[in-house]
């Protein structure tokens, strides 16, 4: 072979080595891609990281396709299930009740949306095309456990009340100490469980090969990951710990038993030791005194609030019974939050946590049923069928005679563990990534082991390479290369723009959080300055990510707060020039706040929070004396009630607007809708009493105030000004004569359910 013939191979090797470095780096960076946004700490940041790495790697893959002519991607039996899964996600997105939510994820979380899910599949499948040796596959997992090792260390410190990233101002201000870094204890434990098994395998392998530095790190990593799993499954999730224990111990014992040779003695011994330690830790964690002792050492541990299985099932049932289409394809990919608001049942839990929104069900199966319907659940079962067939086929043919055999078994065990975890937890972006990753690595190693039975997807694009002497084709190849490279650069520029937007969003949230913490010590001018700074940060964030409905929503609320500050300054000053300047500012910011609120609802019209923010902005403007926005506020509240019929605060806010508009009858009717949801809402009972007194309906007023007093006494809330106020009103009413004709219904009278009737008084939105 001549030097000229070797040159293309050398060029190709350099390209593929570069691809491996990018892939390895992504496996380390993705688990630690954390941005402390109040509404999402992982999905957006991890999605953004994947976009950056995918932009680099896929551009190189496309250029390689142009010049090499074809790309071979190893495949296996399980790929049928994986591609069917991707197809069901696409279908539920295309037919979603909220297309923006399904495309970009709820609240523009990126990682949970279809676009990033598609990118995730393409990215990991592309990795199969340049990983040719088992050691190359294993190197990726080494980088993965480095990333999760850091998150486990951080979370263990958080468990004991220490924030080791507090030197970063955003983490100091916005991160809640006591939570694991991935927020959910159960989700975090599964992620660390994956790294625990990989770490144990690396420890045994490195120790057997006398690579003591590698063995030492792997042992430390195993201990840290096991400790993190134990600590964060104390409060909830022992089933998850059981699943991890069965997976780890089963793998260790089976592999150790099969390696009863002199050469593998230390390998087997270490596996036996870790099997014993993992089992011991699990069983100790089940003993109540041990759980109490360890849990008592943490004064900061926070248990994530989750909805019950019963509530999840009722939401699924309601969502799928809406119509035939929804029963087949669901409400839309990542649209569970929309379904939760619209279909949650009326019970004590949903009433107590009235304003809390849930983006996921109790477990992934309920998520799939709600988001992707019966078809989606069927395809998830199909994926399980193909996965278990594939794993069983590997198991019966695997003699564990080579290292790659053990590696394939490890990835198979992890794939089964991640799939089974869907019965207990919901799947986040990282869990979906890990599931597709471990399956793909198993498929790659299987094709390396059984080279004579190699199965591949062939992407053939030999248009530019078959006629090497043709200058026109070469020029065309150069042109296509430039096009692909340009597209890759533009894609990464977009990723960077999203990153800049996220940075400014975090700065804005940090400013508002600091303002709330120091509210009592800040003067009016200082509060106004903080609000302006936050609004400017959001303005910058929107400039770099104008399609994000959350940014418009948050900006509108902050600007409306600033308007209240301006109005306060306007009322306090006597200087005419100052008044004129403040009036001009108020006029300008009124228009901006309204436009931002409208933009949020235009971008994601099915998201309740957007309409809630819009109605809040209008209501604040009405409170500032701009009564022309009353009908607009009521219209926004009516839409909010349609999207979230059991949120009683909507009806309370609407009743206040009716009172401002001198519509007492409408206010009482609206409050009675509220009482059908929450008859113990004290502010509403007091408001209804005041309206009834104003209408001289003293009998009804006495009932409302009496009910309010009774609720406060039952909850031992009698040592406050509200209780004194209610008591005073009841004494006043004792001296009043009842109204002869009672025209308003009692709060205790049976009223039409708010679940059936969510309409407020009809009103047309006034164009402003």
């Amino acid at each position: 072979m001549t030097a000229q013939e070797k040159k293309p191979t050398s060029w190709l090797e350099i390209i593929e080595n570069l691809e491996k470095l990018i892939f390895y780096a992504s496996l380390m960076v993705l688990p630690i891609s954390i941005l402390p946004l109040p509404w999402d700490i992982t999905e957006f940041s991890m999605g953004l990281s994947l976009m950056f790495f995918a932009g680099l790697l896929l551009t190189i893959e496309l250029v390689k396709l142009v010049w090499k002519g074809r790309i071979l991607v190893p495949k296996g039996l399980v790929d049928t299930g994986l591609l069917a899964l991707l197809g069901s996600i696409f279908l539920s997105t295309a037919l979603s009740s909220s297309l923006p939510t399904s495309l970009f994820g709820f609240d523009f979380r990126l990682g949970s949306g279809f676009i990033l899910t598609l990118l995730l599949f393409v990215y990991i499948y592309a990795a199969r095309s340049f990983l040719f040796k088992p050691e190359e596959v294993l190197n990726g997992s080494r980088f993965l456990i480095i990333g999760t090792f850091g998150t486990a260390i951080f979370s263990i410190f958080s468990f004991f009340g220490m924030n080791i990233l507090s030197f970063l101002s955003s983490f100091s201000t916005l991160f809640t100490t006591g939570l694991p870094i991935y927020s959910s204890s159960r989700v975090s434990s599964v992620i660390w469980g994956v790294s625990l098994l990989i770490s144990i395998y690396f420890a045994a392998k490195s120790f057997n090969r006398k690579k003591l530095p590698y063995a030492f790190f792997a042992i430390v990593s195993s201990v840290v990951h096991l400790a993190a799993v134990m600590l964060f499954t104390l409060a909830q999730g022992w089933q998850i710990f059981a699943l991890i224990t069965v997976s780890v111990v089963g793998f260790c014992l089976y592999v150790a038993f099969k390696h009863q040779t002199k050469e593998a003695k230390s390998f087997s011994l270490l596996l036996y030791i870790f099997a014993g330690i993992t089992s011991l830790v699990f069983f100790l964690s089940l003993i109540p005194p041990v759980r109490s002792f360890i849990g008592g050492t943490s004064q900061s541990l926070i248990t994530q609030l989750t909805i019950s299985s019963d509530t999840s099932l009722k939401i699924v049932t309601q969502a799928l019974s809406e119509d035939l289409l929804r029963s087949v394809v669901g409400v839309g990919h990542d649209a569970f939050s929309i379904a939760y608001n619209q279909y949650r049942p009326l019970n004590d839990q949903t009433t107590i946590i009235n304003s809390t929104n849930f983006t996921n069900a109790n477990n992934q199966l309920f998520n799939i049923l709600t988001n992707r319907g019966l078809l989606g659940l069927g395809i998830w079962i199909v994926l399980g069928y193909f996965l278990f067939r594939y794993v069983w086929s590997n198991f019966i043919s695997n003699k564990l005679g080579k290292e790659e055999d053990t590696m394939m078994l490890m990835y198979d065990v992890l794939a089964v563990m991640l799939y089974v975890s869907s019965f207990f937890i919901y799947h986040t972006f990282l869990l979906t990534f890990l599931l597709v990753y471990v399956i793909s690595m198993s498929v790659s190693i299987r094709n390396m082991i059984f080279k004579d039975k190699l199965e591949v997807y062939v992407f053939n694009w030999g248009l530019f390479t078959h006629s090497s002497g043709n200058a026109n084709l070469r020029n065309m190849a150069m042109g296509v290369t430039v096009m692909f490279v340009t597209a890759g650069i533009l894609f990464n520029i977009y990723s960077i723009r999203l990153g800049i937007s996220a940075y400014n969003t975090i700065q804005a949230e940090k400013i508002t959080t600091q303002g709330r913490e120091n509210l009592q010590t800040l003067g009016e001018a200082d509060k106004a300055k903080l609000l302006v700074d936050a609004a400017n940060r959001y303005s910058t964030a929107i400039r770099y990510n104008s399609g994000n409905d959350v940014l418009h929503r948050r900006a509108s609320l902050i600007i409306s707060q600033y308007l209240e500050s301006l109005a306060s300054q306007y009322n306090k000053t006597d200087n005419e020039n100052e008044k004129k300047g403040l009036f001009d500012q108020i006029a300008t910011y009124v228009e901006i706040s309204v436009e931002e609120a409208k933009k949020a609802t235009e971008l994601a019209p099915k998201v309740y929070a957007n309409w809630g923010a819009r109605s809040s902005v209008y209501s604040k403007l009405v409170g500032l004396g701009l009564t022309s926005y009353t009908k607009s506020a009521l219209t926004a509240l009516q839409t909010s009630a349609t999207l979230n019929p059991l949120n009683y605060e909507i009806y309370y806010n609407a009743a206040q607007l009716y009172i401002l508009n001198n519509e007492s009858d409408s206010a009482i009717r609206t409050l009675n809708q509220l009482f059908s949801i929450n008859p113990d809402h004290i502010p509403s009972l007091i408001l209804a009493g005041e309206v009834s007194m104003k209408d001289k309906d003293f009998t009804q007023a006495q009932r409302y105030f009496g009910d309010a007093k009774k609720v406060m006494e039952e909850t031992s809330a009698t040592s406050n000004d509200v209780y004194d106020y209610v008591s005073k009103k009841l004494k006043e009413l004792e001296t009043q004569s009842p109204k002869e004709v009672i025209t308003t219904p009692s709060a205790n009278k049976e009223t039409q359910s708010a679940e059936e009737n969510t309409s407020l008084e009809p009103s047309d939105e006034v164009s402003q």
Side-chain angles (χ1 to χ4, degrees), residues 35 76 106 162 188 273 296 351 370 397 406 416 486 508 547 557 619 643 677 687 704 707 725 757:
L35 292 175
F106 180 74
M162 293 174 279
S188 300
I273 291 172
T351 301
T370 306
S397 62
T406 308
V416 172
T486 303
L557 292 172
S619 297
L643 296 173
I677 302 168
L687 184 63
Y704 287 128
D707 287 343
Y725 174 79
N757 180 18

Side-chain angles (χ1 to χ4, degrees), residues 265-507:
K265 186 176 180 181
S266 57
F267 180 81
S268 299
L269 178 62
L270 205 57
L271 289 179
Y272 279 129
I273 291 172
F274 270 111
I277 292 173
T278 304
S279 300
L280 179 64
V281 171
F282 171 67
F283 286 114
L284 283 175
S285 71
L286 295 179
I287 301 173
V290 175
R291 295 171 67 89
S292 300
F293 173 75
I294 299 174
T297 61
S298 174
Q299 303 299 319
S300 305
L301 178 62
I302 297 174
T303 302
Q304 187 191 37
L305 185 65
T306 58
I307 55 177
S308 65
S309 298
D310 181 57
T311 300
S312 295
L313 181 60
K314 288 179 180 177
I315 292 168
V316 168
T317 305
Q318 283 290 105
L320 297 189
S321 62
E322 186 74 11
D323 56 51
L324 181 60
L325 178 64
R326 294 296 152 224
S327 66
V328 175
V329 300
V331 296
H333 180 58
D334 202 37
F336 178 83
S337 182
I338 293 173
Y340 172 80
N341 284 326
Q342 198 159 6
Y343 303 115
R344 59 178 171 153
L346 181 58
N347 56 39
D348 289 342
Q349 184 190 38
T350 56
T351 301
I352 292 170
I353 53 175
N354 177 63
S355 299
T356 302
N357 195 11
F358 292 91
T359 53
N360 289 286
N362 182 265
N363 61 50
Q364 185 64 8
L365 295 183
F366 286 136
N367 261 354
I368 292 170
L369 263 173
T370 306
N371 296 342
R372 305 203 285 272
L374 295 172
L375 178 63
L377 180 64
I379 289 177
W380 185 254
I381 294 171
V382 168
L383 171 61
Y385 167 75
F386 279 109
L387 175 61
F388 283 100
R389 267 190 63 189
Y390 169 78
V391 169
W392 180 249
S393 172
N394 289 347
F395 182 76
I396 60 176
S397 62
N398 195 339
K399 305 303 180 184
L400 295 182
K402 302 176 183 178
E403 281 191 0
E404 48 264 40
D405 294 333
T406 308
M407 289 166 54
M408 183 172 69
L409 177 63
M410 177 186 70
Y411 287 119
D412 286 346
V413 169
L414 290 174
V416 172
M417 185 183 86
L418 286 166
Y419 181 84
V420 173
S421 72
S422 66
F423 290 86
F424 305 105
I425 62 169
Y426 57 86
H427 279 189
T428 60
F429 169 81
L430 187 55
L431 283 178
T432 303
F433 181 91
L434 289 174
L435 177 62
V436 180
Y437 166 74
V438 296
I439 291 174
S440 291
M441 296 306 99
S442 174
V443 169
S444 294
I445 292 174
R446 178 182 171 84
N447 279 278
M448 294 170 195
I449 296 171
F450 303 104
K451 293 180 181 178
D452 55 328
K453 299 178 182 179
L454 183 66
E455 296 180 275
V456 295
Y457 295 108
V458 180
F459 296 90
N460 199 339
W461 197 4
L463 174 64
F464 308 121
T465 57
H466 288 170
S467 303
S468 57
N470 191 318
N472 289 332
L473 286 178
R474 183 176 179 82
N475 291 337
M476 189 182 296
M478 287 295 297
V480 173
T481 300
V482 171
M483 181 182 71
F484 283 150
V485 171
T486 303
I489 291 171
L490 292 175
F491 184 79
N492 270 354
I493 288 174
Y494 177 66
S495 302
I496 293 170
R497 287 179 62 88
L498 293 183
I500 295 172
S501 174
Y503 170 77
N504 281 280
T505 302
I506 289 172
Q507 295 304 309

Side-chain angles (χ1 to χ4, degrees), residues 594-607:
V594 169
E595 287 305 312
E596 293 294 350
K598 284 183 177 179
K599 186 67 176 178
T601 56
E602 289 168 2
L603 287 170
K606 291 291 185 178
V607 175

Side-chain angles (χ1 to χ4, degrees), residues 556 559-560 562-564 566-567 582-598 617-618 620-622 624 626 628-629 768:
S556 68
I559 293 169
S560 67
Y562 180 56
L563 278 169
E564 290 178 323
L566 289 176
L582 287 168
F583 181 84
D584 291 341
Q585 285 188 66
I586 290 171
T588 300
Y589 282 107
V590 163
E591 185 177 346
I592 295 172
S593 64
V594 169
E595 287 305 312
E596 293 294 350
K598 284 183 177 179
V617 168
Y618 287 144
K620 285 182 179 179
L621 296 181
V622 173
L624 295 176
L626 301 174
S628 59
Y629 285 97
Q768 300 293 342

